[in-house]
């Protein structure tokens, strides 16, 4: 792998060789899922097949999505007939596929052969590696000239094509579907139209991206006396499936203990039709199994297992150092090496090629030692023109024999234009580093160059497949561009583009320094939270790490799309840490507001403060010894005060105190007892419900741009809180929620300057303390 670095405008670019990774990926990080593609013939004769597909398709897709061990998340649907193919649908939502299926028009036909290979090619181009393509048709292919393109895609994507053929309307000798399925280790199921549902039920149960190929044999004649075939099953195989496609076929399996498998031994027959039979064994015993197959016609045998243990491979004409220097097909007419990455094998015993058409035609290749663990280099070898499998045989870490063959067969290739793979899109962060990997696959030497903002104006030469990485440090927004990796060899040229989006970390306009705010009960306070960044950040508020939307408190308001948080009519409980967070794809930035709400207190010179409710009696106790039994109220003797009822005493002197009967608001005062040397004071506060001091007209007509005053002056003890609302708004009135307003006299008066049409309406003031509540309404008409 090579790395190209672009530091900035003035620093030259350099190219250096990096040490190859042992686990180099053949595909982009975007290819983290697999696909299921449905390719369907929509001619009139497929009506019965269509109904069966509709009834099973949704269940298959739902089943795949609900499996925890499935990587299939991508769905493709391609309808076809003649001459139309498509429109193709790809989605991650099965409901979209079902919608398209339900809108398919089944009609037409007549000339039999359809554009099926075109549809298969379209599906193969869009699916991800290690995927499944299911074709439904009752006709032969009209577009056989596309078979080679389909075979190339099958080998590149290591994907399997299965054809459910429910007829052959012109008895054509065309074998295009058989060739495609054969090379891809798939199958052509020649079934009656009534059997489509049975095959679809099997598809539902057997689809698994962890399938590994254990045997793939094609026999071009009938076989009534079976010859034994050996299967090496290691402990990672959790499910063994054997399928035979041929006329009146039969399958017998012997386990490593020599016992013939039957239903009692755990052999399950998954499908048994005239032209296909499939059996299955769950949790097969590790060891050497024996397979016996008979068929009254030419037939194909497939054995696969469900296992997470498999191998990667690639070809090169010179000894490759890593997988990035290999191609998925060997060069025809030249000596080739095979590089194999097989993580579970501790000892390699053999590396072979197996002819697709003759199971007995195998070639053992020389094994070259590598320093890298679990890596195997075989060759060189000169491939013939026939498709072949690679077979790896070894021993795993648990001492069991390990045998695998490639998922698809491989066809040697003539020199072709380079195949380039780059990520479709990449996101880079301002000030960070941008890396774009370009994997170029070529069987012959090639040159490569990068095109894009500040890219080098030069080309680099490579003798075989390589991965070239463009690295740009100290990214700025100028690097937001389309970057093209372009390669050329003797067979042609190719290019692949990557759309780079440059984003930036969010910032908060008010700065990210934490602040502390001190409020008093009843006050309002506003905190703004405006962010900048690319893309524009999402602004949120939290109270002690809990989203404000989930924080149950009536005193906190969020307005202007979370750009402002208001603490309205603050209470002691509103003391908290309020966090403004700006978030986008590049990260997040926070600012913390530590809000402290204090109680309003009035300093008192008295030794003691006593609060009592109106309409009650109270005794003031004097702690002084040798008290002279003389009490003062605000400096005047209580004996000289006029009682509100002359016939009843209001004050009564006690031995160690003063009793006051029928408390009234006027009894609020500082009371003093004394002896010959000292005094003791008690501040008595009489609590009462609020009431308005002044009444103002409740309907007002004001000209635009004039000033209006709403007077809600009230008294009460404890000092009442005053709240203001406008009846047509869900928000309380604050200077941030209604323009041009001002509070006076501790919110007891509301002034609106320069009144406008928006101020029309009904206003309400609410005055309350714990002993009561009073309300007033004001109707304002602006003309």
């Amino acid at each position: 792998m090579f790395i190209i670095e672009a530091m900035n405008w003035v620093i030259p670019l350099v190219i250096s060789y990096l040490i190859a990774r042992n686990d180099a990926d053949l595909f982009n990080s975007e290819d983290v899922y697999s696909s299921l593609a449905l390719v369907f013939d929509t001619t009139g004769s497929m009506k019965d097949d269509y109904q069966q597909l509709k009834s099973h398709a949704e269940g298959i897709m739902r089943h795949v999505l609900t499996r925890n061990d499935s990587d299939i998340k991508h769905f493709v649907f391609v309808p076809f007939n003649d001459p139309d193919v498509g429109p193709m649908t790809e989605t991650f939502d099965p409901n979209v596929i079902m919608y398209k299926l339900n809108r398919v028009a089944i009609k037409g036909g007549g000339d039999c052969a359809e554009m099926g290979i075109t549809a298969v090619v379209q599906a193969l181009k869009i699916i991800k590696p290690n995927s499944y393509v299911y074709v439904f048709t009752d006709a032969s292919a009209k577009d056989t000239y596309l078979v080679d393109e389909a075979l190339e895609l099958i080998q590149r994507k290591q994907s399997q094509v299965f054809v459910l053929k429910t007829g052959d309307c012109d008895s054509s000798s065309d074998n295009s579907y058989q060739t495609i399925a054969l090379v891809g280790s798939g199958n052509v199921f020649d079934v009656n139209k009534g059997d489509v549902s049975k095959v679809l039920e099997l598809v539902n149960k057997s689809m698994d991206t962890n399938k590994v190929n254990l045997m793939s044999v094609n026999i071009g004649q009938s076989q009534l006396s079976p010859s034994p075939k050996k299967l090496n099953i290691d402990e990672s195989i959790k499910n063994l499936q054997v399928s035979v496609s041929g006329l009146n076929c039969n399958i017998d399996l012997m386990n490593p203990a020599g016992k013939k498998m039957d239903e009692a031994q755990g052999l399950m027959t998954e499908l048994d039709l005239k032209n296909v039979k499939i059996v299955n064994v769950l949790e097969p015993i590790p060891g050497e199994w024996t397979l016996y197959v008979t068929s009254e016609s030419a037939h194909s045998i497939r054995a696969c297992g469900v296992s997470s243990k498999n191998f990667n491979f690639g070809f090169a004409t010179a000894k490759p150092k890593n997988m990035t220097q290999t191609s998925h097909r060997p060069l025809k007419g030249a000596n080739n090496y095979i590089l194999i990455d097989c993580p579970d094998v501790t000892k390699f015993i053999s590396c072979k090629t197996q002819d697709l058409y003759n199971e007995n035609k195998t070639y053992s290749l020389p094994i070259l030692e590598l320093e890298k663990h679990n890596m195997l280099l075989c060759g060189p070898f000169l491939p013939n023109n026939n498709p072949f499998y690679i077979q790896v045989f070894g021993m795993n870490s648990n001492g069991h024999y390990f045998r695998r063959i490639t998922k698809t067969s491989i066809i040697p290739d003539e020199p072709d234009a380079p195949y380039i793979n780059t990520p479709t899109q990449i996101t880079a962060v301002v000030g960070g580093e941008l890396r774009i990997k370009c994997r170029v696959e070529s069987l012959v030497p090639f040159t490569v160059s990068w095109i894009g903002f500040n890219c080098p104006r030069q080309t680099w030469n490579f003798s075989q497949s390589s991965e070239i990485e463009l690295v740009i440090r100290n990214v700025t927004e100028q690097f937001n561009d389309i970057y093209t990796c372009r390669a050329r060899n003797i067979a042609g040229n190719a290019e692949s583009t990557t759309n780079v989006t440059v984003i930036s970390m969010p910032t908060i306009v008010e700065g990210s320094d934490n602040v502390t705010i001190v409020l008093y009960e009843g006050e309002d306070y506003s905190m703004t939270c405006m962010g900048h960044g690319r893309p524009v950040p999402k602004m949120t508020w939290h109270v002690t790490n809990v989203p404000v939307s989930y924080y149950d408190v009536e005193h906190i308001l969020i307005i202007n799309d979370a750009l402002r948080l208001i603490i309205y009519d603050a209470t002691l409980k509103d003391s908290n840490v309020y966090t403004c967070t700006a978030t986008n794809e590049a990260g997040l930035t926070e600012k913390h507001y530590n809000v402290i709400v204090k109680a309003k207190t009035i300093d008192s010179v008295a030794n003691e403060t006593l609060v009592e409710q109106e309409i009650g009696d109270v005794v003031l106790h004097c702690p002084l010894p040798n008290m002279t039994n003389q009490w003062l109220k605000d400096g005047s003797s209580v004996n000289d005060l006029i009682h509100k009822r002359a016939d009843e005493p209001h004050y009564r002197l006690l031995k160690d105190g003063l009793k006051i009967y029928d408390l009234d608001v006027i009894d609020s005062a500082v009371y003093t007892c004394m002896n010959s040397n000292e005094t003791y004071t008690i501040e008595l506060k009489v609590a009462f419900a609020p009431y308005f001091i002044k009444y103002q007209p409740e309907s007002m007509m004001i000209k635009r741009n004039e000033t209006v005053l709403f007077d809600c002056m009230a008294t009460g003890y404890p000092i009442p809180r005053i709240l203001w609302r406008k009846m047509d708004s869900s928000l309380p009135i604050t200077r941030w929620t209604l323009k041009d307003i001002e509070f006076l006299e501790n919110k007891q008066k509301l002034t609106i300057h320069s009144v406008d049409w928006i101020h029309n309406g009904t206003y309400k003031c609410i005055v309350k303390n714990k002993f009561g509540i009073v309300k007033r309404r004001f109707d304002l008409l602006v003309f």
Side-chain angles (χ1 to χ4, degrees):
M1 180 175 69
F2 285 82
I3 181 170
I4 302 169
E5 300 186 80
M7 297 298 291
N8 52 39
W9 282 99
V10 296
I11 299 177
L13 288 107
V14 298
I15 183 167
S16 60
Y17 184 72
L18 293 185
I19 298 175
R21 299 164 300 170
N22 290 339
D23 59 345
D25 295 329
L26 287 177
F27 305 105
N28 288 323
S29 59
E30 295 174 337
D31 301 322
V32 294
Y33 52 83
S34 299
S35 312
L36 166 61
L38 303 176
V39 179
F40 192 80
D41 183 345
T42 61
T43 51
S45 59
M46 290 292 290
K47 185 175 181 180
D48 291 341
D49 308 61
Y50 170 65
Q51 296 299 333
Q52 294 178 79
L53 175 61
K54 276 206 309 180
S55 66
H56 288 274
E58 185 172 18
I60 292 172
M61 290 181 284
R62 295 289 181 199
H63 176 72
V64 166
L65 282 180
T66 54
R67 284 184 52 173
N68 293 329
D69 59 347
S70 175
D71 291 327
I72 299 175
K73 305 182 188 309
H74 180 233
F75 302 98
V76 176
F77 176 57
V78 188
F80 71 93
N81 48 50
D82 182 22
D84 298 321
V85 176
M88 180 179 64
T89 301
E90 64 165 326
T91 180
F92 294 95
D93 184 358
N95 293 318
V96 174
I97 298 295
M98 291 309 301
Y99 174 77
K100 294 294 184 179
L101 267 174
N102 287 323
R103 292 178 63 86
V104 165
I106 305 297
K107 61 182 181 180
D111 63 347
C112 191
E114 311 295 346
M115 303 293 284
I117 309 301
T118 301
V120 170
V121 167
Q122 283 194 14
L124 287 168
K125 284 181 177 179
I126 203 68
I127 63 172
K128 295 299 181 180
N130 195 28
S131 296
Y132 294 91
V133 179
Y134 284 88
V135 184
F136 301 82
T137 185
D138 62 357
S140 57
K142 191 173 189 177
D143 44 0
T144 57
Y145 59 90
L146 290 174
V147 168
D148 286 343
E149 184 176 359
L151 296 180
E152 156 64 18
L153 289 167
I154 287 171
Q155 293 171 85
R156 180 173 295 284
K157 297 290 183 76
Q158 287 290 289
S159 294
Q160 294 177 292
V161 177
F162 297 88
V163 182
L164 275 71
K165 208 156 185 287
T166 57
D168 193 357
C169 57
D170 63 354
S171 300
S172 171
S173 59
D174 172 61
N175 61 354
S176 297
Y177 289 123
Q178 286 80 0
T179 301
I180 288 173
L182 192 65
V183 169
S185 296
N187 225 324
V188 176
F189 296 117
D190 289 309
V191 297
N192 297 323
K193 288 185 177 292
D195 292 330
V196 172
S197 286
K198 295 178 182 178
V199 178
L200 287 172
E201 288 174 7
L202 175 67
V203 169
N204 195 3
K205 292 186 289 184
S206 63
M207 194 177 309
D208 199 307
T209 52
N210 284 329
K211 273 189 177 178
V212 295
N213 216 354
L214 304 175
M215 176 182 290
S216 185
V217 176
N218 301 283
I219 301 174
Q221 59 191 18
S222 63
Q223 193 169 37
L224 302 181
S225 299
S227 59
K229 303 182 187 308
K230 301 298 181 180
L231 288 172
N232 289 103
I233 305 298
D234 60 88
E235 80 287 348
S236 73
I237 303 293
K238 303 304 179 186
N239 184 10
L240 171 62
Q241 185 182 87
V242 178
S243 64
V244 179
S245 179
L247 181 63
N248 296 325
C249 49
N250 184 64
I251 301 172
D252 287 324
L253 265 174
M254 303 284 286
N255 68 18
K259 290 185 178 180
K260 180 180 177 181
M261 299 295 291
D262 55 23
E263 193 171 322
Q265 296 286 332
L267 182 74
M268 294 179 289
T269 301
E270 301 286 0
L271 191 66
D272 193 359
L273 303 176
K274 184 177 181 180
N275 290 304
V276 60
K277 185 170 184 177
I278 300 176
V279 299
N280 194 61
V281 179
L282 294 177
E283 302 292 342
I285 302 170
E288 188 175 74
W289 289 61
T290 307
L291 172 64
Y292 298 90
V293 173
T294 61
S295 175
E296 295 177 6
S297 68
H299 54 287
S300 61
I301 305 170
R302 305 281 184 265
C304 61
V306 174
S307 170
S308 59
K309 309 296 184 182
N310 207 355
F311 69 95
N312 289 327
F313 67 94
F315 299 92
T317 54
K319 291 181 181 179
K321 295 180 180 180
N322 56 77
M323 282 293 181
T324 63
Q325 295 181 342
T326 65
S327 299
H328 71 291
R329 295 172 68 178
L331 180 61
K332 183 185 292 187
N335 280 320
N336 288 262
Y337 292 90
I338 308 175
L339 183 62
I340 292 171
D341 182 3
C342 198
D344 194 52
V345 172
T346 57
K347 179 183 178 183
F348 291 101
I349 297 174
S350 68
C351 171
K352 297 181 179 181
T353 61
Q354 173 194 320
D355 193 283
L356 172 66
Y357 302 113
N358 187 347
E359 63 171 314
N360 296 317
K361 195 174 182 180
T362 62
Y363 301 93
S364 293
L365 305 183
I367 294 179
L368 305 179
E369 292 187 5
L370 291 177
E371 295 180 358
K372 297 167 186 171
H373 189 53
N374 296 329
M375 298 286 284
L376 172 68
L377 185 61
C378 308
F381 77 106
L382 181 66
N384 58 32
N385 292 333
N386 285 346
F388 64 90
Y389 294 99
I390 301 171
Q391 182 188 104
V392 176
F393 185 51
M395 186 170 289
N396 65 21
S397 56
N398 291 327
H400 291 109
Y401 287 113
F402 179 100
R403 190 187 301 272
R404 297 284 189 274
I405 65 172
T406 47
K407 181 169 285 189
T408 67
S409 59
I410 300 145
I411 304 173
D413 196 13
E414 300 280 358
D416 198 1
Y419 177 82
I420 304 181
N421 195 4
T422 62
T424 306
Q425 55 187 18
I426 281 182
T427 299
V429 180
V430 169
E433 191 174 73
L434 168 63
R435 289 177 174 267
I436 311 176
K437 292 180 181 179
C438 175
R439 172 164 163 72
V440 181
E441 191 176 315
S442 175
L443 293 170
V444 292
F446 67 94
T447 60
V448 65
S449 60
W450 281 98
I451 300 171
F453 179 77
N454 208 24
C455 282
R457 295 181 178 274
Q458 65 183 98
T459 60
W460 291 269
N461 300 312
F462 297 93
S463 60
Q464 58 188 15
S465 300
S466 291
E467 186 175 87
I468 302 94
E469 186 174 38
L470 178 68
V471 179
I472 300 173
R473 297 188 173 92
N474 300 319
V475 172
T476 67
E477 291 187 1
Q478 292 174 303
F479 288 94
N480 199 84
D481 198 4
I482 294 176
Y483 293 79
T484 302
C485 180
R486 182 173 292 170
R488 176 187 295 274
N489 64 15
I490 59 172
N493 57 70
E495 63 181 37
S496 180
T497 60
T498 298
N499 187 6
V500 173
T501 302
V502 177
I503 62 177
S504 61
M505 281 285 293
T507 58
I508 295 175
V509 175
E510 296 76 22
S512 57
D513 293 337
N514 300 333
V515 296
T516 298
I517 300 103
V518 178
L519 304 178
Y520 287 95
E521 285 184 293
E523 289 186 342
D524 302 336
Y525 187 77
S526 167
M527 295 167 272
T528 55
C529 187
M530 185 176 295
H532 282 318
R534 184 175 181 177
V536 176
K538 177 183 178 182
M539 312 307 295
T540 56
W541 284 96
H542 292 74
V543 184
T544 56
N545 298 320
V546 178
V548 170
S549 56
Y550 296 101
Y551 194 82
D552 185 19
V553 57
E554 63 180 350
H555 301 282
I556 299 176
L557 313 173
I558 295 181
I559 62 174
N560 300 338
D561 295 327
L563 297 182
R564 185 181 297 276
L565 181 143
I566 301 171
I567 299 178
Y568 170 67
D569 190 38
T571 67
L572 297 178
K573 292 182 179 179
D574 296 327
S575 293
N576 249 316
V577 176
Y578 298 79
T579 302
C580 157
T581 304
T583 309
N584 67 10
E585 296 171 26
L588 63 84
T589 301
E590 292 182 342
K591 180 173 183 176
H592 303 285
Y593 294 84
N594 182 26
V595 176
I596 301 171
V597 182
K598 293 185 175 182
K600 285 185 177 179
T601 58
I602 300 176
D603 293 336
S604 175
V605 296
N607 299 108
E608 178 184 345
T609 300
L610 187 64
V611 178
E612 294 290 335
Q613 191 173 355
E614 193 179 23
I615 313 174
D617 301 339
V618 66
V619 176
L620 307 181
H621 294 281
C622 182
L624 298 178
N626 304 316
M627 188 182 71
T628 60
N629 212 16
Q630 183 179 357
W631 283 86
L632 303 178
K633 176 186 179 185
D634 288 337
S636 300
S637 174
V638 296
N639 294 323
D640 298 333
L641 299 177
I642 299 174
H643 302 159
K644 65 179 179 180
R645 290 185 60 180
D647 58 338
E648 292 185 5
H650 191 61
Y651 302 107
R652 180 182 175 187
L653 297 175
L654 305 177
K655 181 179 179 181
D656 60 350
L658 174 69
K659 185 172 183 177
I660 306 174
Y661 294 93
D662 296 329
L663 283 177
D664 197 292
V665 174
I666 61 174
D667 292 320
S668 294
V670 175
Y671 292 83
T672 306
C673 65
M674 61 190 71
N675 62 18
S676 57
N677 296 317
E678 53 186 331
T679 61
Y680 184 84
T681 56
I682 301 172
E683 184 176 14
L684 175 63
K685 295 182 177 181
V686 179
F688 60 97
Y691 61 86
F692 292 114
I693 297 174
K694 180 181 178 181
Y695 282 87
Q696 178 186 359
E698 295 186 351
S699 295
M700 304 179 191
M701 297 180 63
I702 303 293
K703 289 183 179 180
R704 287 184 68 198
N705 299 320
E706 290 190 353
T707 298
V708 64
L709 172 69
F710 299 131
D711 189 337
C712 266
M713 293 289 290
T715 186
Y717 193 84
I719 297 172
R721 294 161 52 205
I722 300 181
L723 313 176
W724 288 88
R725 286 192 176 271
K726 192 168 185 286
M727 301 301 290
D728 59 358
S729 172
S730 61
L731 299 174
I733 295 175
T734 69
R735 60 189 179 91
W736 304 284
T737 56
L738 186 65
K739 73 171 188 174
D740 298 326
I741 68 110
E742 179 184 8
F743 288 120
L744 305 171
E745 302 289 343
N746 291 325
K747 291 189 178 179
Q748 294 186 98
K749 294 180 180 179
L750 171 64
T751 300
I752 305 178
H753 303 283
S754 302
V755 295
D756 207 341
W757 309 123
I758 64 167
H759 295 115
N760 268 312
T762 299
Y763 294 78
K764 180 168 68 173
C765 72
I766 304 165
V767 183
K768 61 182 179 178
N769 64 16
K770 65 180 180 179
F771 296 109
I773 180 171
V774 291
K775 302 177 183 179
R776 289 196 65 187
R777 292 164 58 103
F778 302 92
D779 293 319
L780 176 62
L781 177 63
V782 180
F783 64 94

